Amino acid sequence: MDFGLTEEEAEFRAELRSWLATTLPRLPPKPSPDDWPGRRAYDTHWQRLLYDAGYAHLHWEAAPGLRLVFLEETELAGAPYVGANFVGLLHAGPTIAAEGTPEQRERWLGPILRGDEIWCQGFSEPDAGSDLASLRTRAVRDGDDYLVTGSKIWTSHAEIADWCELLVRTDPDAHRHRGISWLALPMDAPGITVRPLRTLAGTAEFAEVFLDEVRVPVANRVGAENDGWRVTMVTLSFERGTAFVGEVVACRRTLAALAVRARENGRWDDPALRRRLGRLHTEFTALWRLTQWNVSEARAGGGVPGPGGSVFKLRYSGARQELYEAAAEVLGPDALDLDREWAVDRLSALSYTIAAGTSQIQRNIIAERLLGLPKGGA
């Protein structure tokens, strides 16, 4: 794989860098981490700016090189990441683009790209965790609707979402990996109760969602009835394969800032700390190269990322946590001050062990799909 830039990519980088230099200074102040209505307004405003400038589609349809340049330049410039648009842009949107009907693409993709509508993710359930095949939320056919009853937990952005990518069991008698369907749930439908969950970092990014005979049109089902497990694998491939890639650049930027802080407060004189930061620099450089390879392979394979995303997700989760442990060593007591962004990021890093599938799930995928080992218990 050639890591150099083509002439088109170099011109795109220069154009994007110029646009960021003139646009970012005009952004309003970023809301506090716990102000989700404010964060929605801020993140959707940024998405609209990207859309109007012709950059909003780069998460989905761009050539791999242009997409990577976009991720790298926006992170290096300190531009907002997808924020509240995370699920719509990086999970639901790509899934609908790959698996939806022409009518579904027409209905949902435009509002996601423009930042008009926010999506949340309704996959996990209280008694299932990362074992999605154990889900119990049921959808019973009633004419042209499904009646959905059950509950979800760790539902990202449910408090401010317009839509939810929802997994339901449509055939309770089928094998647990069958009988599942993928629905687009309107969050303003009668029968929905949302209870925010406060995390260790003090924010309410997640929520419990309770569903009491909620009517969802059959036309909102993405993929065939009872074929939702396959559609879900597409969603998870995007989640693990590409949804975190922009964060690698952010971690490299944080690492550079950490080195500057260490020089300022004298911690740089510690050779063990310098070796630790140097090893992390190598780790994130390697992860970025892996990102380039994964994105390129996804394009060659029809746009859906392969199991290489699990390699990235597993190693990235560990590296991110190690980064913020190193930050605690450099910052000392300041690392415990929750009013400081790095302290909140350190606590948030702990969730990456279970986010988007636990590390054990990723190891199983790598063992079975990349190494060809038998399934556990076989």
Side-chain angles (χ1 to χ4, degrees), residues 87 91-93 95-96 99 104 108 119-121 123 146 164-170 180-185 218 220-236:
V87 175
H91 299 183
T95 302
I96 293 168
E99 298 291 334
Q104 290 171 340
W108 286 308
W119 284 66
C120 62
Q121 185 180 58
F123 281 14
Y146 289 110
C164 176
E165 53 177 16
L166 185 74
L167 296 187
V168 295
R169 189 163 292 286
T170 39
I180 293 173
S181 296
W182 196 111
L183 303 180
L185 167 74
V218 172
N220 286 17
R221 189 190 65 232
V222 175
E225 186 171 87
N226 300 327
D227 192 31
W229 184 256
R230 185 190 60 79
V231 180
T232 301
M233 292 303 102
V234 173
T235 305
L236 295 180

Short mmCIF file of all heavy atoms in Angstrom, two decimals, residues 87 91-93 95-96 99 104 108 119-121 123 146 164-170 180-185 218 220-236:
data_model
loop_
_atom_site.label_atom_id
_atom_site.label_comp_id
_atom_site.label_asym_id
_atom_site.label_seq_id
_atom_site.Cartn_x
_atom_site.Cartn_y
_atom_site.Cartn_z
N VAL A 87 -23.89 8.38 16.04
CA VAL A 87 -24.61 7.18 15.63
C VAL A 87 -25.16 7.33 14.20
O VAL A 87 -25.06 6.42 13.37
CB VAL A 87 -25.76 6.86 16.61
CG1 VAL A 87 -26.59 5.68 16.12
CG2 VAL A 87 -25.18 6.54 17.99
N HIS A 91 -22.87 4.96 12.16
CA HIS A 91 -23.49 3.63 12.29
C HIS A 91 -24.72 3.51 11.38
O HIS A 91 -24.75 2.73 10.44
CB HIS A 91 -23.97 3.38 13.73
CG HIS A 91 -22.90 3.39 14.74
ND1 HIS A 91 -23.15 3.12 16.06
CD2 HIS A 91 -21.58 3.64 14.66
CE1 HIS A 91 -22.03 3.20 16.74
NE2 HIS A 91 -21.07 3.52 15.91
N ALA A 92 -25.78 4.28 11.73
CA ALA A 92 -27.06 4.12 11.04
C ALA A 92 -26.96 4.54 9.57
O ALA A 92 -27.46 3.83 8.68
CB ALA A 92 -28.14 4.93 11.74
N GLY A 93 -26.36 5.69 9.31
CA GLY A 93 -26.26 6.18 7.94
C GLY A 93 -25.58 5.19 7.00
O GLY A 93 -26.15 4.82 5.96
N THR A 95 -25.18 2.05 7.39
CA THR A 95 -25.98 0.82 7.29
C THR A 95 -27.15 1.00 6.33
O THR A 95 -27.43 0.13 5.50
CB THR A 95 -26.52 0.43 8.68
OG1 THR A 95 -25.41 0.25 9.57
CG2 THR A 95 -27.32 -0.86 8.62
N ILE A 96 -27.85 2.13 6.44
CA ILE A 96 -28.98 2.40 5.54
C ILE A 96 -28.48 2.54 4.10
O ILE A 96 -29.11 2.07 3.15
CB ILE A 96 -29.74 3.66 6.00
CG1 ILE A 96 -30.42 3.39 7.34
CG2 ILE A 96 -30.77 4.08 4.96
CD1 ILE A 96 -30.95 4.62 8.03
N GLU A 99 -27.80 -1.16 3.14
CA GLU A 99 -28.84 -2.17 3.23
C GLU A 99 -30.26 -1.63 3.00
O GLU A 99 -31.20 -2.41 2.89
CB GLU A 99 -28.80 -2.83 4.63
CG GLU A 99 -27.51 -3.56 4.94
CD GLU A 99 -27.35 -4.82 4.10
OE1 GLU A 99 -28.38 -5.38 3.68
OE2 GLU A 99 -26.21 -5.23 3.87
N GLN A 104 -35.87 4.44 1.71
CA GLN A 104 -35.24 4.65 3.01
C GLN A 104 -34.00 5.54 2.90
O GLN A 104 -33.77 6.40 3.74
CB GLN A 104 -34.88 3.29 3.63
CG GLN A 104 -36.11 2.50 4.07
CD GLN A 104 -35.78 1.08 4.48
OE1 GLN A 104 -34.73 0.53 4.12
NE2 GLN A 104 -36.66 0.47 5.26
N TRP A 108 -33.79 9.16 4.98
CA TRP A 108 -32.95 9.36 6.16
C TRP A 108 -31.54 9.90 5.90
O TRP A 108 -30.97 10.56 6.75
CB TRP A 108 -32.84 8.03 6.94
CG TRP A 108 -34.09 7.69 7.68
CD1 TRP A 108 -34.79 8.50 8.54
CD2 TRP A 108 -34.84 6.47 7.61
NE1 TRP A 108 -35.90 7.84 9.02
CE2 TRP A 108 -35.95 6.59 8.48
CE3 TRP A 108 -34.66 5.26 6.95
CZ2 TRP A 108 -36.88 5.58 8.67
CZ3 TRP A 108 -35.58 4.25 7.12
CH2 TRP A 108 -36.68 4.41 7.97
N TRP A 119 -29.51 10.54 15.66
CA TRP A 119 -29.85 9.13 15.90
C TRP A 119 -29.21 8.65 17.20
O TRP A 119 -28.16 9.16 17.62
CB TRP A 119 -29.35 8.25 14.76
CG TRP A 119 -30.18 8.35 13.51
CD1 TRP A 119 -30.32 9.45 12.71
CD2 TRP A 119 -30.96 7.31 12.91
NE1 TRP A 119 -31.15 9.17 11.67
CE2 TRP A 119 -31.56 7.86 11.75
CE3 TRP A 119 -31.21 5.99 13.22
CZ2 TRP A 119 -32.39 7.12 10.91
CZ3 TRP A 119 -32.04 5.23 12.39
CH2 TRP A 119 -32.63 5.80 11.25
N CYS A 120 -29.87 7.67 17.83
CA CYS A 120 -29.26 6.98 18.96
C CYS A 120 -29.20 5.48 18.64
O CYS A 120 -29.76 5.03 17.64
CB CYS A 120 -30.04 7.22 20.25
SG CYS A 120 -31.76 6.63 20.24
N GLN A 121 -28.53 4.74 19.51
CA GLN A 121 -28.34 3.31 19.25
C GLN A 121 -29.06 2.48 20.30
O GLN A 121 -28.73 2.55 21.48
CB GLN A 121 -26.86 2.94 19.23
CG GLN A 121 -26.60 1.49 18.84
CD GLN A 121 -25.14 1.14 18.83
OE1 GLN A 121 -24.46 1.26 19.84
NE2 GLN A 121 -24.63 0.71 17.69
N PHE A 123 -29.22 -1.04 20.92
CA PHE A 123 -28.77 -2.42 20.75
C PHE A 123 -28.75 -3.17 22.09
O PHE A 123 -29.35 -4.21 22.24
CB PHE A 123 -27.37 -2.47 20.13
CG PHE A 123 -27.34 -2.26 18.65
CD1 PHE A 123 -28.44 -1.75 17.97
CD2 PHE A 123 -26.21 -2.55 17.90
CE1 PHE A 123 -28.42 -1.56 16.59
CE2 PHE A 123 -26.16 -2.37 16.53
CZ PHE A 123 -27.27 -1.87 15.88
N TYR A 146 -45.34 -2.69 13.53
CA TYR A 146 -44.90 -3.58 14.59
C TYR A 146 -45.28 -2.92 15.91
O TYR A 146 -45.18 -1.69 16.06
CB TYR A 146 -43.37 -3.76 14.57
CG TYR A 146 -42.84 -4.57 13.42
CD1 TYR A 146 -42.11 -3.95 12.40
CD2 TYR A 146 -43.03 -5.95 13.36
CE1 TYR A 146 -41.59 -4.69 11.35
CE2 TYR A 146 -42.51 -6.69 12.31
CZ TYR A 146 -41.79 -6.05 11.31
OH TYR A 146 -41.29 -6.78 10.26
N CYS A 164 -33.90 6.09 16.40
CA CYS A 164 -33.09 5.08 17.07
C CYS A 164 -32.91 3.88 16.15
O CYS A 164 -33.89 3.37 15.58
CB CYS A 164 -33.76 4.63 18.37
SG CYS A 164 -32.92 3.29 19.25
N GLU A 165 -31.66 3.43 16.00
CA GLU A 165 -31.44 2.16 15.29
C GLU A 165 -31.68 1.07 16.31
O GLU A 165 -30.93 0.90 17.27
CB GLU A 165 -30.03 2.09 14.69
CG GLU A 165 -28.90 2.36 15.67
CD GLU A 165 -27.53 2.20 15.05
OE1 GLU A 165 -27.41 2.16 13.82
OE2 GLU A 165 -26.54 2.10 15.81
N LEU A 166 -32.77 0.32 16.11
CA LEU A 166 -33.30 -0.56 17.15
C LEU A 166 -33.27 -2.02 16.70
O LEU A 166 -33.74 -2.34 15.61
CB LEU A 166 -34.74 -0.16 17.47
CG LEU A 166 -35.42 -0.89 18.61
CD1 LEU A 166 -34.87 -0.40 19.96
CD2 LEU A 166 -36.94 -0.69 18.56
N LEU A 167 -32.75 -2.87 17.56
CA LEU A 167 -32.80 -4.31 17.31
C LEU A 167 -33.94 -4.91 18.11
O LEU A 167 -34.09 -4.65 19.30
CB LEU A 167 -31.49 -4.98 17.73
CG LEU A 167 -30.23 -4.59 16.96
CD1 LEU A 167 -29.07 -5.47 17.38
CD2 LEU A 167 -30.46 -4.68 15.47
N VAL A 168 -34.76 -5.72 17.43
CA VAL A 168 -35.92 -6.34 18.07
C VAL A 168 -35.99 -7.81 17.65
O VAL A 168 -35.46 -8.21 16.61
CB VAL A 168 -37.23 -5.64 17.66
CG1 VAL A 168 -37.26 -4.20 18.17
CG2 VAL A 168 -37.42 -5.66 16.14
N ARG A 169 -36.67 -8.59 18.48
CA ARG A 169 -36.89 -10.00 18.14
C ARG A 169 -38.26 -10.12 17.50
O ARG A 169 -39.28 -9.84 18.13
CB ARG A 169 -36.79 -10.88 19.39
CG ARG A 169 -36.79 -12.36 19.08
CD ARG A 169 -36.28 -13.18 20.23
NE ARG A 169 -34.87 -12.99 20.49
CZ ARG A 169 -33.88 -13.46 19.75
NH1 ARG A 169 -34.16 -14.18 18.66
NH2 ARG A 169 -32.63 -13.22 20.06
N THR A 170 -38.29 -10.52 16.23
CA THR A 170 -39.54 -10.65 15.50
C THR A 170 -39.98 -12.10 15.37
O THR A 170 -41.09 -12.36 14.89
CB THR A 170 -39.40 -10.02 14.09
OG1 THR A 170 -38.10 -10.29 13.55
CG2 THR A 170 -39.59 -8.52 14.16
N ILE A 180 -34.34 -11.90 14.39
CA ILE A 180 -34.04 -10.52 14.81
C ILE A 180 -34.24 -9.59 13.61
O ILE A 180 -33.92 -9.97 12.47
CB ILE A 180 -32.60 -10.41 15.34
CG1 ILE A 180 -32.46 -11.21 16.65
CG2 ILE A 180 -32.19 -8.95 15.56
CD1 ILE A 180 -31.04 -11.30 17.16
N SER A 181 -34.78 -8.39 13.87
CA SER A 181 -34.93 -7.40 12.80
C SER A 181 -34.36 -6.05 13.24
O SER A 181 -34.28 -5.76 14.43
CB SER A 181 -36.41 -7.24 12.41
OG SER A 181 -36.91 -8.44 11.86
N TRP A 182 -33.96 -5.25 12.26
CA TRP A 182 -33.33 -3.93 12.47
C TRP A 182 -34.37 -2.87 12.07
O TRP A 182 -34.78 -2.80 10.92
CB TRP A 182 -32.10 -3.84 11.58
CG TRP A 182 -31.05 -2.79 11.83
CD1 TRP A 182 -29.79 -3.01 12.31
CD2 TRP A 182 -31.11 -1.37 11.53
NE1 TRP A 182 -29.07 -1.82 12.34
CE2 TRP A 182 -29.86 -0.81 11.87
CE3 TRP A 182 -32.11 -0.54 11.02
CZ2 TRP A 182 -29.58 0.54 11.71
CZ3 TRP A 182 -31.83 0.83 10.87
CH2 TRP A 182 -30.58 1.34 11.21
N LEU A 183 -34.80 -2.05 13.04
CA LEU A 183 -35.85 -1.05 12.79
C LEU A 183 -35.32 0.36 13.02
O LEU A 183 -34.44 0.59 13.86
CB LEU A 183 -37.04 -1.27 13.72
CG LEU A 183 -37.75 -2.63 13.72
CD1 LEU A 183 -38.90 -2.61 14.71
CD2 LEU A 183 -38.24 -2.98 12.32
N ALA A 184 -35.93 1.30 12.30
CA ALA A 184 -35.71 2.73 12.57
C ALA A 184 -36.89 3.20 13.42
O ALA A 184 -38.03 3.28 12.94
CB ALA A 184 -35.62 3.51 11.27
N LEU A 185 -36.62 3.50 14.68
CA LEU A 185 -37.67 3.85 15.65
C LEU A 185 -37.75 5.37 15.81
O LEU A 185 -36.75 6.00 16.18
CB LEU A 185 -37.34 3.22 17.00
CG LEU A 185 -38.13 3.72 18.21
CD1 LEU A 185 -39.56 3.15 18.17
CD2 LEU A 185 -37.45 3.33 19.52
N VAL A 218 -43.87 -0.99 9.47
CA VAL A 218 -43.07 -2.07 8.86
C VAL A 218 -42.11 -1.48 7.83
O VAL A 218 -41.00 -1.99 7.62
CB VAL A 218 -44.01 -3.11 8.22
CG1 VAL A 218 -43.22 -4.13 7.42
CG2 VAL A 218 -44.84 -3.81 9.30
N ASN A 220 -40.30 0.86 8.15
CA ASN A 220 -39.07 1.34 8.80
C ASN A 220 -38.06 0.21 9.04
O ASN A 220 -37.01 0.44 9.63
CB ASN A 220 -39.39 1.97 10.16
CG ASN A 220 -40.03 3.33 10.01
OD1 ASN A 220 -40.52 3.68 8.95
ND2 ASN A 220 -40.03 4.11 11.08
N ARG A 221 -38.40 -1.00 8.63
CA ARG A 221 -37.47 -2.12 8.82
C ARG A 221 -36.40 -2.08 7.73
O ARG A 221 -36.72 -2.02 6.54
CB ARG A 221 -38.22 -3.45 8.75
CG ARG A 221 -37.37 -4.66 9.16
CD ARG A 221 -38.09 -5.96 8.85
NE ARG A 221 -38.27 -6.14 7.42
CZ ARG A 221 -39.45 -6.41 6.83
NH1 ARG A 221 -40.53 -6.56 7.56
NH2 ARG A 221 -39.52 -6.53 5.53
N VAL A 222 -35.14 -2.11 8.14
CA VAL A 222 -34.03 -2.13 7.19
C VAL A 222 -33.58 -3.58 7.02
O VAL A 222 -33.18 -4.23 8.00
CB VAL A 222 -32.86 -1.26 7.68
CG1 VAL A 222 -31.66 -1.38 6.74
CG2 VAL A 222 -33.31 0.20 7.77
N GLY A 223 -33.67 -4.09 5.81
CA GLY A 223 -33.40 -5.50 5.57
C GLY A 223 -34.68 -6.31 5.73
O GLY A 223 -35.73 -5.79 6.13
N ALA A 224 -34.59 -7.60 5.45
CA ALA A 224 -35.76 -8.47 5.53
C ALA A 224 -36.12 -8.78 6.98
O ALA A 224 -35.29 -8.67 7.88
CB ALA A 224 -35.49 -9.77 4.77
N GLU A 225 -37.40 -9.14 7.21
CA GLU A 225 -37.80 -9.55 8.56
C GLU A 225 -37.02 -10.80 8.96
O GLU A 225 -36.86 -11.73 8.16
CB GLU A 225 -39.31 -9.84 8.59
CG GLU A 225 -39.83 -10.13 9.99
CD GLU A 225 -41.36 -10.19 10.02
OE1 GLU A 225 -41.91 -11.27 9.77
OE2 GLU A 225 -41.99 -9.14 10.26
N ASN A 226 -36.54 -10.78 10.19
CA ASN A 226 -35.75 -11.88 10.76
C ASN A 226 -34.34 -11.99 10.19
O ASN A 226 -33.63 -12.95 10.48
CB ASN A 226 -36.46 -13.23 10.61
CG ASN A 226 -37.81 -13.24 11.30
OD1 ASN A 226 -37.99 -12.59 12.33
ND2 ASN A 226 -38.76 -13.96 10.73
N ASP A 227 -33.94 -11.01 9.37
CA ASP A 227 -32.57 -11.00 8.82
C ASP A 227 -31.74 -9.91 9.50
O ASP A 227 -30.71 -9.48 9.00
CB ASP A 227 -32.62 -10.74 7.30
CG ASP A 227 -31.28 -11.00 6.63
OD1 ASP A 227 -30.53 -11.87 7.12
OD2 ASP A 227 -30.97 -10.32 5.64
N GLY A 228 -32.21 -9.47 10.67
CA GLY A 228 -31.56 -8.35 11.34
C GLY A 228 -30.17 -8.65 11.87
O GLY A 228 -29.36 -7.72 12.03
N TRP A 229 -29.87 -9.91 12.13
CA TRP A 229 -28.51 -10.21 12.63
C TRP A 229 -27.46 -9.89 11.56
O TRP A 229 -26.43 -9.30 11.86
CB TRP A 229 -28.42 -11.69 13.04
CG TRP A 229 -27.09 -12.03 13.64
CD1 TRP A 229 -26.06 -12.70 13.06
CD2 TRP A 229 -26.63 -11.67 14.95
NE1 TRP A 229 -24.99 -12.79 13.91
CE2 TRP A 229 -25.32 -12.18 15.09
CE3 TRP A 229 -27.20 -10.98 16.02
CZ2 TRP A 229 -24.56 -12.00 16.25
CZ3 TRP A 229 -26.46 -10.80 17.18
CH2 TRP A 229 -25.17 -11.31 17.28
N ARG A 230 -27.78 -10.24 10.32
CA ARG A 230 -26.84 -9.92 9.23
C ARG A 230 -26.71 -8.40 9.08
O ARG A 230 -25.60 -7.87 8.93
CB ARG A 230 -27.33 -10.54 7.92
CG ARG A 230 -26.35 -10.37 6.75
CD ARG A 230 -27.00 -10.80 5.44
NE ARG A 230 -28.19 -10.02 5.14
CZ ARG A 230 -28.15 -8.78 4.64
NH1 ARG A 230 -26.99 -8.20 4.40
NH2 ARG A 230 -29.27 -8.12 4.40
N VAL A 231 -27.86 -7.67 9.13
CA VAL A 231 -27.80 -6.22 9.01
C VAL A 231 -27.01 -5.63 10.19
O VAL A 231 -26.22 -4.69 10.03
CB VAL A 231 -29.22 -5.61 8.97
CG1 VAL A 231 -29.16 -4.10 8.86
CG2 VAL A 231 -30.01 -6.20 7.81
N THR A 232 -27.19 -6.22 11.37
CA THR A 232 -26.47 -5.74 12.55
C THR A 232 -24.96 -5.91 12.38
O THR A 232 -24.18 -5.06 12.81
CB THR A 232 -26.94 -6.52 13.80
OG1 THR A 232 -28.34 -6.33 13.95
CG2 THR A 232 -26.23 -6.05 15.04
N MET A 233 -24.55 -7.00 11.76
CA MET A 233 -23.12 -7.21 11.53
C MET A 233 -22.55 -6.10 10.63
O MET A 233 -21.40 -5.70 10.78
CB MET A 233 -22.88 -8.58 10.90
CG MET A 233 -23.17 -9.76 11.84
SD MET A 233 -22.19 -9.71 13.38
CE MET A 233 -23.43 -9.12 14.54
N VAL A 234 -23.38 -5.62 9.70
CA VAL A 234 -22.95 -4.49 8.86
C VAL A 234 -22.75 -3.25 9.73
O VAL A 234 -21.74 -2.55 9.64
CB VAL A 234 -23.98 -4.22 7.74
CG1 VAL A 234 -23.62 -2.94 6.98
CG2 VAL A 234 -24.05 -5.40 6.79
N THR A 235 -23.75 -2.99 10.61
CA THR A 235 -23.63 -1.83 11.50
C THR A 235 -22.38 -1.94 12.37
O THR A 235 -21.61 -0.98 12.52
CB THR A 235 -24.87 -1.73 12.42
OG1 THR A 235 -26.05 -1.69 11.61
CG2 THR A 235 -24.81 -0.48 13.28
N LEU A 236 -22.17 -3.11 12.96
CA LEU A 236 -21.02 -3.28 13.86
C LEU A 236 -19.70 -3.22 13.10
O LEU A 236 -18.68 -2.79 13.66
CB LEU A 236 -21.15 -4.61 14.60
CG LEU A 236 -22.34 -4.71 15.57
CD1 LEU A 236 -22.36 -6.08 16.25
CD2 LEU A 236 -22.28 -3.61 16.62
#
